[in-house]
């Protein structure tokens, strides 16, 4: 159902079904102040990906596997299917959050998706024929985005209160009398 947008990073539709521009996303992004200003947990990330897949004709959501804790490893494929299947085109692969604490990678990947889709929509808004570089990109190529590899580790990282990092420095003492070569005296 490519027509309902329900997530905060997604753009709003230009017009209702049956009108000019129906099903396309508006060129104006939602104000940053209204966006969620935090790291997205698994459920929020999944909602964004499903939202893009449901509303953008460029986006297809699939899974490349399931984690040990049962979470899907989501892959969002972006391409213009009218010009050929994704796998028949040159591709650009983006993967993020390889290790549990690398959560900014997920945010960068989600931002990339949002930027690509909104730029594509803006070009279509300006030119019905779609003569801009984003439209040309998706006609000729595919972008694959795997926004979180370590889905279980990232969820643990995002939902568990950890001790401060780095840990506070600990005093270090140097023994003044030890077998072997003599050591310099400890500072006072």
């Amino acid at each position: 159902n490519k027509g309902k947008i329900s997530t905060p990073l997604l753009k709003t539709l230009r017009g209702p079904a049956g009108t000019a521009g129906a099903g396309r996303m508006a060129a104006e992004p939602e104000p940053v102040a209204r966006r969620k200003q935090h790291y997205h947990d698994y459920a929020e990330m999944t909602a964004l990906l499903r939202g893009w897949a449901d509303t953008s004709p460029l986006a297809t959501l699939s899974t490349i596997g399931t984690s040990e804790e049962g979470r899907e490893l989501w892959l969002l494929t972006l391409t213009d299917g009218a010009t050929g299947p994704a796998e028949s085109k040159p591709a650009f692969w983006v993967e993020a959050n390889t290790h549990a604490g690398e959560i900014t990678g997920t945010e960068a990947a989600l931002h990339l998706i949002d930027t690509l889709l909104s730029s594509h929509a803006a070009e279509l808004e300006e030119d019905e024929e779609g003569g801009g570089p984003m439209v040309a990109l998706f006609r000729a190529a595919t972008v694959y985005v795997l926004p979180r590899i370590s889905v279980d580790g990232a969820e643990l990282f995002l939902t568990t209160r950890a001790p401060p990092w780095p840990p506070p420095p600990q005093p270090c003492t140097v023994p003044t009398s030890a077998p072997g070569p003599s050591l310099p005296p400890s500072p006072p």
Side-chain angles (χ1 to χ4, degrees), residues 170-184:
Q170 300 296 316
C172 179
T173 58
V174 178
T176 55
S177 62
S182 63
L183 298 172

Side-chain angles (χ1 to χ4, degrees), residues 37-116:
Q37 299 293 316
H38 68 280
Y39 296 111
H40 293 83
D41 65 17
Y42 179 80
E44 293 167 327
M45 177 191 72
T46 298
L48 284 170
L49 295 170
R50 285 185 174 150
W52 283 313
D54 289 345
T55 59
S56 174
L58 298 177
T60 304
L61 186 61
S62 59
T63 180
I64 64 164
T66 305
S67 73
E68 287 190 24
E69 294 180 12
R71 294 180 182 93
E72 299 295 334
L73 280 76
W74 296 118
L75 177 67
L76 194 71
T77 303
L78 304 173
T79 196
D80 182 346
T83 59
E87 58 276 2
S88 71
K89 300 176 185 180
F92 180 71
W93 177 269
V94 177
E95 62 185 42
N97 208 166
T98 304
H99 304 104
E102 299 169 352
I103 56 176
T104 55
T106 295
E107 301 309 311
L110 295 175
H111 180 74
L112 173 67
I113 295 166
D114 189 52
T115 300
L116 291 173

Side-chain angles (χ1 to χ4, degrees), residues 111-133:
H111 180 74
L112 173 67
I113 295 166
D114 189 52
T115 300
L116 291 173
L117 292 179
S118 59
S119 297
H120 180 269
E123 286 181 12
L124 289 177
E125 186 81 17
E126 292 171 12
D127 178 4
E128 291 287 329
E129 299 300 315

